[in-house]
Amino acid sequence: MKSLKFLNPYLFRYRTRLILGTLFITISNIFAIYPAEVLRKGIDMVQDGIHVYDLFKGLPMENELRSDFFNILLFFGIIVIITALLKGLFMFFMRQTIIVMSRLIEFDLKNDIYKQYQKLDLAFYKKNKTGDLMARISEDVSQVRMYVGPAIMYAIGTITLVLLVTLRMLTINAELTFYVLSPLPILAFTIYYVNSRVIKKSAAVQKQLSTISSWVQESFSGIRVVKAYNREQFNQNKFAEEANLYKDKNVELVKVNALFFPMIILLIGLSTLITIYAGGIKVFSGEITTGTIAEFIMYVNMLTWPVASIGWVTSIVQRAAASQTRINEFLSYEPSVVNHTSAATPIIGDLRFDHVSFVYPDSGIVAINKISFSVKAGQSLAVIGRTGSGKSTLAALISRQYDVTSGQIFVDNMPLHKVNLNSLRSAIGYVPQEVFLFSETISNNIAFGFKPSHIASESDQESIEQAAKDAAIFDSVSQFPEGFNTRVGERGVTLSGGQKQRISIARAIIRKPEILIFDDCLSAVDTATEEEVLSNLRRIMKGRTSVIIAHRISTVKHCDQIIVLDHGSIVEQGSHQDLINKDGIYAELNRKQLLEEAAAQF
Ligand SMILES: Nc1ncnc2c1ncn2[C@@H]1O[C@H](COP(=O)(O)OP(=O)(O)OP(=O)(O)O)[C@@H](O)[C@H]1O
Ligand SMILES: [Mg+2]
């Protein structure tokens, strides 16, 4: 329950609504209980009236007495209708304040969680599944809203009603009040018990349902394999088996649910019975009137649903507390990469690594081991090395997606963590190894690189096309029927790996950054296209610091400086010619690749 304390500031923010809501609930409850008193008066009056009426039977006053009598009853009836209307009106106000408040809190909470998600670093995203992140911002927040909305509303409603009714009953007869209320705690407890069983059972139903649907989904997306391997009958049986389990779990749920209403009716019946019996005795002894029994029976009925809702409210609060604990877990997560300065830092592009090491915190893998090198602004650095040697990690360190474990990175002779994070990232055009395109038009995907709004306008078209030309993707895109307005992804065209890579390159170069990082961005294109892209890139790279990660010598040989990584350490360093002369790993790799190329010619 402690986790729900987190929501208090939110409730405090909307305290006016909460206070008004409480007031409306109380007023609505006052109007709800008033008719019971009117009913008692009515019944008592009828009872007394009949005696009086009998006395005047046959006398001239009979008719007058009768119409007076009916007029008073009519008046009582009108009072009951008016109070019912007023009760309804205030219930409307109560929902307008408290339920609206819960929606406002839900909105704030979702925004706060989203904001936190944006702040969190890559290490966090590696550790937590997307489904989990989504569940906490949607389902868990919904559970929490049930607490700040309906649960609070019903709780306040129940407390005020129980107080008002009990006070009212006590002023009439304390002993009878005790008898009448005695079954209510049993009612509340039973409902709580039944309810928690219902929750457990419905969770089981839900789980089985999701098992079935993911299994069915898979069997249909793999329908070709299923048919090719003649597995229809097997699948049919398996489906029947799972569906049968689902049915059984549902039947169990229905059984528990079926207990719910009879239980309530039984306990109200018990209460009513006690009221009539104990009340009847008191009527005989003249302690109370017959009308009072009717009044008490009305109170019992009035209390039933609110008391029944205690069980329901408790389970909402429990679920909300569990959800809030999950939400708090993410909200309290401190991002390890933080921006230490708000002042913008202009960046020129000098880059220096000084004995930099990096260990992945979750796996303990030493991905970068005491690396030192420096690149002057405007120069190019190539990083080459076997798969898993730490190339991508090195790129990630430059844009501070992770902070170094030891050593230091300098940009323009400033320690990286002193540079404004936004300035740093704005100055970098990064082409990641794993291309990601949004389900958007090609235009917008490229414009993402330089438009904060991510939507391309007419005036951007020229720069978008230029970037596409430089990335050697212009011709392919122009051939699509819708050209640059072609949508990518699920509801649009499926691009080939090489096409995606080049769009990703266009996205990076369109921002004209001070530092360009290409992480293995030409792996999926043929050597001819590679040559075309590279010759364009050389023009674009002029005056910009660039880091090119690759597996092919042909990609990197024109760079000013080449480092060869192995197991996170630099094993060779120098220009292409230096390294060839050195006749080490690099020269060996070069020979192999030249041979492969020659072989490919035949
Ligand atoms: N997010 C991560 N968490 C833990 N370990 C990681 C993570 N990413 C990479 N590693 C490990 O760090 C080492 C270096 O990986 P990195 O991705 O930098 O290699 P790479 O040189 O880019 O390889 P490739 O050429 O295949 O892209 C590998 O041993 C890898 O298993
Ligand atoms: Mg890599």
Side-chain angles (χ1 to χ4, degrees):
M1 299 291 147
K2 250 191 227 152
S3 62
L4 290 176
K5 268 195 193 146
F6 175 84
L7 293 165
N8 292 348
Y10 290 85
L11 287 170
F12 185 72
R13 189 179 303 161
Y14 297 107
R15 57 190 177 282
T16 339
R17 281 173 196 272
L18 189 58
I19 293 167
L20 271 180
T22 312
L23 194 71
F24 292 146
I25 294 172
T26 316
I27 297 175
S28 148
N29 277 337
I30 291 175
F31 285 124
I33 63 173
Y34 190 65
E37 206 177 322
V38 177
L39 180 80
R40 182 196 52 176
K41 287 191 178 139
I43 289 179
D44 288 347
M45 199 191 82
V46 171
Q47 213 178 21
D48 297 344
I50 284 190
H51 294 309
V52 180
Y53 185 73
D54 282 345
L55 292 179
F56 285 84
K57 215 164 191 178
L59 294 175
M61 279 182 75
E62 185 191 341
N63 277 345
E64 204 180 315
L65 200 67
R66 181 141 95 197
S67 73
D68 274 359
F69 194 58
F70 282 116
N71 279 344
I72 295 176
L73 281 183
L74 186 67
F75 174 68
F76 282 163
I78 291 172
I79 290 183
V80 170
I81 291 174
I82 291 177
T83 48
L85 285 175
L86 285 171
K87 172 193 157 193
L89 182 71
F90 280 96
M91 272 175 85
F92 171 77
F93 289 153
M94 144 191 122
R95 293 193 150 262
Q96 281 298 303
T97 46
I98 295 200
I99 301 297
V100 168
M101 174 189 81
S102 74
R103 290 292 178 192
L104 293 172
I105 292 181
E106 180 187 29
F107 172 79
D108 290 352
L109 195 56
K110 280 194 175 182
N111 276 309
D112 288 349
I113 298 173
Y114 193 78
K115 197 169 162 195
Q116 167 78 354
Y117 280 180
Q118 301 254 65
K119 263 196 261 168
L120 292 172
D121 49 78
L122 284 186
F124 171 85
Y125 284 96
K126 278 267 145 72
K127 235 185 354 218
N128 296 288
K129 288 197 199 123
T130 314
D132 199 8
L133 268 93
M134 307 246 290
R136 293 188 203 203
I137 203 172
S138 54
E139 280 144 47
D140 283 331
V141 173
S142 300
Q143 295 292 353
V144 169
R145 188 201 74 85
M146 287 298 284
Y147 157 69
V148 288
I152 286 191
M153 186 174 78
Y154 283 107
I156 297 174
T158 305
I159 293 169
T160 51
L161 189 75
V162 170
L163 278 178
L164 285 170
V165 167
T166 317
L167 276 178
R168 178 78 202 121
M169 290 198 292
L170 283 176
T171 54
I172 300 171
N173 192 296
E175 200 186 331
L176 193 57
T177 307
F178 173 75
Y179 290 138
V180 170
L181 292 185
S182 53
L184 287 185
I186 310 173
L187 179 68
F189 180 76
T190 333
I191 287 169
Y192 172 71
Y193 176 73
V194 172
N195 219 352
S196 53
R197 307 254 321 181
V198 167
I199 291 168
K200 225 186 260 162
K201 301 270 176 205
S202 42
V205 167
Q206 219 51 44
K207 202 168 154 221
Q208 181 59 15
L209 185 65
S210 81
T211 311
I212 294 186
S213 37
S214 55
W215 184 80
V216 167
Q217 200 228 332
E218 199 184 74
S219 68
F220 285 117
S221 51
I223 190 75
R224 282 186 212 203
V225 186
V226 171
K227 283 191 180 289
Y229 283 77
N230 236 343
R231 295 272 278 206
E232 287 99 329
Q233 191 54 49
F234 172 83
N235 274 6
Q236 180 71 55
N237 296 344
K238 169 126 173 113
F239 178 79
E241 198 182 296
E242 295 288 346
N244 197 31
L245 254 174
Y246 177 68
K247 182 205 71 193
D248 290 344
K249 290 194 187 303
N250 255 320
V251 169
E252 279 176 40
L253 178 64
V254 169
K255 260 188 217 153
V256 181
N257 253 333
L259 274 176
F260 202 76
F261 282 93
M263 201 96 89
I264 293 177
I265 307 278
L266 178 77
L267 285 162
I268 306 174
L270 199 64
S271 233
T272 312
L273 213 66
I274 296 175
T275 315
I276 296 175
Y277 180 72
I281 293 173
K282 289 195 183 297
V283 173
F284 266 112
S285 66
E287 249 179 276
I288 58 169
T289 60
T290 327
T292 312
I293 297 184
E295 187 178 352
F296 268 63
I297 290 177
M298 270 190 89
Y299 290 142
V300 168
N301 280 287
M302 248 177 247
L303 286 180
T304 316
W305 284 113
V307 171
S309 76
I310 292 177
W312 182 70
V313 167
T314 327
S315 63
I316 290 185
V317 173
Q318 278 171 347
R319 269 188 283 183
S323 286
Q324 190 61 48
T325 310
R326 278 195 292 271
I327 294 173
N328 287 349
E329 188 195 336
F330 278 1
L331 285 182
S332 63
Y333 194 97
E334 288 289 336
S336 58
V337 177
V338 276
N339 196 359
H340 294 292
T341 159
S342 55
T345 331
I347 286 175
I348 302 164
D350 257 348
L351 204 59
R352 183 156 59 90
F353 272 50
D354 182 18
H355 292 91
V356 170
S357 293
F358 180 72
V359 182
Y360 277 104
D362 45 338
S363 61
I365 290 175
V366 185
I368 296 285
N369 192 7
K370 298 205 191 75
I371 281 186
S372 303
F373 64 83
S374 65
V375 190
K376 290 257 165 322
Q379 289 207 319
S380 56
L381 168 83
V383 185
I384 201 163
R386 260 188 243 136
T387 168
S389 56
K391 305 182 296 295
S392 298
T393 310
L394 190 143
L397 291 178
I398 298 174
S399 56
R400 251 193 106 196
Q401 290 173 31
Y402 299 99
D403 276 333
V404 298
T405 311
S406 67
Q408 214 158 37
I409 301 175
F410 296 88
V411 166
D412 300 341
N413 281 323
M414 233 191 306
L416 200 58
H417 62 266
K418 293 226 170 113
V419 176
N420 182 306
L421 197 56
N422 300 325
S423 304
L424 175 73
R425 289 187 180 156
S426 307
I428 294 177
Y430 173 56
V431 185
Q433 185 169 21
E434 280 160 25
V435 177
F436 183 84
L437 299 182
F438 296 94
S439 310
E440 276 277 355
T441 62
I442 294 179
S443 264
N444 285 343
N445 264 297
I446 298 177
F448 184 86
F450 79 130
K451 294 292 268 194
S453 67
H454 175 187
I455 301 295
S457 66
E458 282 293 314
S459 57
D460 305 325
Q461 209 51 39
E462 203 179 313
S463 27
I464 291 173
E465 286 179 13
Q466 186 55 48
K469 278 178 191 154
D470 292 336
I473 187 69
F474 183 80
D475 292 341
S476 316
V477 174
S478 304
Q479 276 164 22
F480 294 137
E482 287 179 72
F484 278 85
N485 290 323
T486 310
R487 288 187 78 89
V488 189
E490 279 195 356
R491 277 173 299 142
V493 296
T494 312
L495 298 171
S496 77
Q499 286 170 335
K500 282 194 217 158
Q501 280 191 333
R502 280 170 289 155
I503 291 178
S504 181
I505 294 175
R507 172 159 74 196
I509 59 187
I510 199 174
R511 55 189 334 192
K512 301 194 166 60
E514 282 73 18
I515 301 171
L516 275 162
I517 302 174
F518 301 105
D519 189 353
D520 209 7
C521 65
L522 292 167
S523 60
V525 301
D526 55 56
T527 25
T529 314
E530 176 182 29
E531 199 37 59
E532 187 189 347
V533 180
L534 280 176
S535 71
N536 292 340
L537 284 187
R538 257 169 244 138
R539 178 169 47 79
I540 291 159
M541 277 155 50
K542 259 200 197 99
R544 305 178 204 288
T545 310
S546 36
V547 178
I548 298 183
I549 295 168
H551 282 109
R552 282 190 223 144
I553 302 278
S554 55
T555 320
V556 303
K557 64 180 176 199
H558 295 289
C559 291
D560 298 316
Q561 190 189 167
I562 299 166
I563 56 179
V564 182
L565 279 189
D566 192 31
H567 289 99
S569 308
I570 297 182
V571 284
E572 284 177 22
Q573 191 166 12
S575 70
H576 176 70
Q577 205 48 53
D578 292 343
L579 296 179
I580 293 291
N581 293 343
K582 200 171 176 194
D583 204 15
I585 301 179
Y586 184 85
E588 170 69 24
L589 195 65
N590 185 39
R591 267 198 299 279
K592 257 196 221 156
Q593 291 190 357
L594 284 178
L595 275 177
E596 275 167 20
E597 246 172 69
Q601 302 280 316
F602 291 105

